Amino acid sequence: DTEDTTMANRTLIAAAGSLLMLFNASAFAWSGGHFNAYTPRGTYSGGHAMSCGGGSCSHAGGVVGPYGGLATNTGTVTRNAPGQFSNAGTAVGPNGRSVQHDGSTSCAGGTCSHTGDMTGSNGRTASTDGSVTRNGAGQYSSSGTVTGGNGNTYNHSASTNCAGSTC
């Protein structure tokens, strides 16, 4: 199992890196990595890669679950102006179904606000609207709304305190 997990990590990293090189050949910065998450349901192994250049950063990543299912996520974030960003990408689950997602983010005065839309491979849609605020050194709060295509709305909020590398 350890050998299979190691091979899965290497395969994910290689695939993610290949996608980025194919779609972003003019990039000047690259980073990548892998992880293992040990849970009561089993081990999840993943990898990711990111490349930036020309005001945009592209990413690709994936995770393999304990039963071999693969989920991936690819996308791009673009800086349109100071404090203004747009994003688009695709997430694909182990069942092959996908979600196209896009959105825009505006940051000013310690708060970043985001709106976005998602469309599943089955045609169903959802939208998001939320914000994150830096309240002080290492202190953040967030709130937002997710609205499904059927009109049902779900609200969420959270806060985080961070010191050093621990939150």
Side-chain angles (χ1 to χ4, degrees), residues 88-117:
T90 303
V92 180
N95 56 14
R97 290 183 287 191
S98 64
V99 174
Q100 303 289 325
H101 54 87
D102 62 70
S104 61
T105 302
S106 299
C107 299
T111 298
C112 291
S113 299
H114 177 78
T115 60
D117 295 299

Side-chain angles (χ1 to χ4, degrees), residues 112-126:
C112 291
S113 299
H114 177 78
T115 60
D117 295 299
M118 298 168 279
T119 303
S121 54
N122 59 5
R124 292 186 178 172
T125 62

Side-chain angles (χ1 to χ4, degrees), residues 9-67:
N9 283 338
R10 289 181 182 157
T11 302
L12 284 172
I13 291 169
S18 297
L19 283 172
L20 286 176
M21 289 173 28
L22 178 65
F23 292 112
N24 201 358
S26 65
F28 65 86
W30 178 90
S31 69
H34 69 277
F35 68 88
N36 288 317
Y38 304 97
T39 73
R41 293 185 178 188
T43 301
Y44 294 79
S45 300
H48 69 275
M50 179 182 73
S51 179
C52 298
S56 293
C57 290
S58 297
H59 71 275
V63 63
V64 175
Y67 303 107

